Amino acid sequence: MDKILVVDDIEQNVELISRYLINAGYDVITANSGSMAIKKAKLLQPDLIILDIMMPNISGYDVCKILKSNEDTKYISILVITALDSKDTKVRAFEAGADDFITKSFDKMTLLSKVKSLLRIKHLSDQLKKQYAELQEKNNIMDYQLKMAKQIQQSLIQEANFSVNDVKFTSRYIPALDVGGDVYDIIKLNEDSVGVFIADVSGHGISAALLTSMVKMLFRNLVAACPEPDKLLSQMNREFINVFANKITDVYASAFYAKIDTKNRIIHYSNAGQALPLFVRSCDDTVEELSINGLPIGLMEDSSYDLKSTVFEKGDVILFYTDGLCDSLYKDNPEEFIQKLKELLLDYKNQPSEEIIESILNQFYYLDDSSKYETDDVSIIICKI
């Protein structure tokens, strides 16, 4: 039953309005002064207040202002009643916070019609506040889950900065959201070899974070048993499909794996639909893609992967990256992106790896709150000889 507070310093007016409301099925509370109205409004939280304007000590205008400025009462609807039927009176009432206005002498049907209308608005407001509270609770749960997923993912993706036989490996990871779909691993295979694995899974957010965890686990579990990059990607593809076969659609991962022999300066590599690394050759100041084809992991059960090799020399630079670097500013013009990236690498090839990464991000990657849902994650790995 809706609860209505009737406020008037004239007892006959209170009795008349109360009788109309009680007969219509409402629960009625009364107050004969502005100060009493404020106390009862805060304590009893009525659904509607019917408030006389002209009262001693505290006017209805001031009662309106006080109630609408209070956090506990500001959403209670207020119907103002006055004998002064003037434009200035109405304007002043609305400026004070009144939700509707009625003049004396009113008939029963007019009063009940306005009461019903204001209560309908109040019910809608209550429903919206309840839905907002439920949504806020869900958001809080989601925020907690995102924080947990972020911590887990950060433990899986650790930025590298180390050298093996004068070959330096440096990396940077930037998720567009708190958690993302990129994953990489730079693992020392033995005293002379380093494995560089970089991948980008389908989707964003928590689902992508779960996939990255799985891809990282697959890589770590299989890398020792499958020393050659093509064999590793083939086995990862089979294991991946076994997990998701006939269960979830549109789940896949692009990946590139390079096994770098730092002693003999040879790189063996294989690709599963990932953005091609760029190879800067210092001897002739050229940049080429480590071009090799291959379907993403998880698309076809019988996918096979090619294996290629190339030698590198002192001063050479290899850039591994995910396609979020291109999507930020050059999504519609990948050819221009590759050309500008090659030019930048030639300009900065002699600079420290950290400076190369910063220059790449400054020129090609832009992320703010308005674009983070359209911008992909970015992973960058620099191998500098």
Side-chain angles (χ1 to χ4, degrees), residues 218-259:
L218 278 178
F219 171 73
R220 279 296 179 115
N221 288 342
L222 297 173
V223 67
C226 304
E228 297 304 321
D230 57 330
K231 301 296 190 295
L232 173 69
L233 293 183
S234 294
Q235 188 59 33
M236 287 186 68
N237 181 65
R238 286 190 289 269
E239 297 280 353
F240 193 96
I241 286 179
N242 285 338
V243 172
F244 294 105
N246 302 319
K247 298 175 184 176
I248 304 176
T249 59
D250 298 326
V251 176
Y252 58 90
S254 59
F256 192 101
Y257 178 52
K259 181 181 178 183

Side-chain angles (χ1 to χ4, degrees), residues 162-169 188 190-194 262:
F162 66 91
S163 299
V164 177
N165 293 333
D166 295 328
V167 179
K168 184 176 182 181
F169 298 88
K188 188 175 180 181
N190 54 50
E191 292 302 314
D192 298 320
S193 296
V194 176
T262 61

Side-chain angles (χ1 to χ4, degrees), residues 148-159 184-185 213 216 220:
M148 291 296 294
K150 182 178 182 180
Q151 291 177 6
I152 293 171
Q153 190 170 44
Q154 285 179 339
S155 70
L156 295 175
I157 305 176
Q158 298 183 0
E159 295 184 350
Y184 64 78
D185 201 0
S213 300
K216 176 71 173 284
R220 279 296 179 115

Side-chain angles (χ1 to χ4, degrees), residues 9-75:
D9 62 319
I10 300 176
E11 185 177 351
Q12 295 89 333
N13 292 341
V14 173
E15 290 178 356
L16 177 63
I17 296 172
S18 297
R19 185 165 64 250
Y20 288 161
L21 297 174
I22 292 171
N23 291 338
Y26 297 111
D27 184 13
V28 177
I29 312 162
T30 64
N32 58 12
S33 68
S35 58
M36 182 61 68
I38 294 169
K39 291 179 182 178
K40 288 192 174 183
K42 292 179 180 179
L43 179 64
L44 302 175
Q45 290 292 303
D47 299 291
L48 173 66
I49 298 174
I50 298 177
L51 177 65
D52 185 33
I53 286 292
M54 305 306 295
M55 292 188 296
N57 299 324
I58 303 178
S59 71
Y61 299 122
D62 292 331
V63 173
C64 266
K65 291 177 182 178
I66 292 170
L67 292 178
K68 291 298 183 178
S69 63
N70 186 278
E71 193 66 30
D72 296 328
T73 58
K74 66 180 182 180
Y75 293 112

Side-chain angles (χ1 to χ4, degrees), residues 172-174 182-184 198-199 320-322 377-381:
R172 180 77 62 85
Y173 170 62
I174 303 176
D182 284 4
V183 62
Y184 64 78
I198 187 167
F320 303 85
Y321 65 94
T322 53
D377 318 306
V378 169
S379 294
I380 297 175
I381 301 172

Side-chain angles (χ1 to χ4, degrees), residues 234 237-238 241 252 295-305:
S234 294
N237 181 65
R238 286 190 289 269
I241 286 179
Y252 58 90
L295 290 175
I297 293 169
L299 289 186
M300 293 184 62
E301 187 174 357
D302 58 350
S303 292
S304 60
Y305 297 93

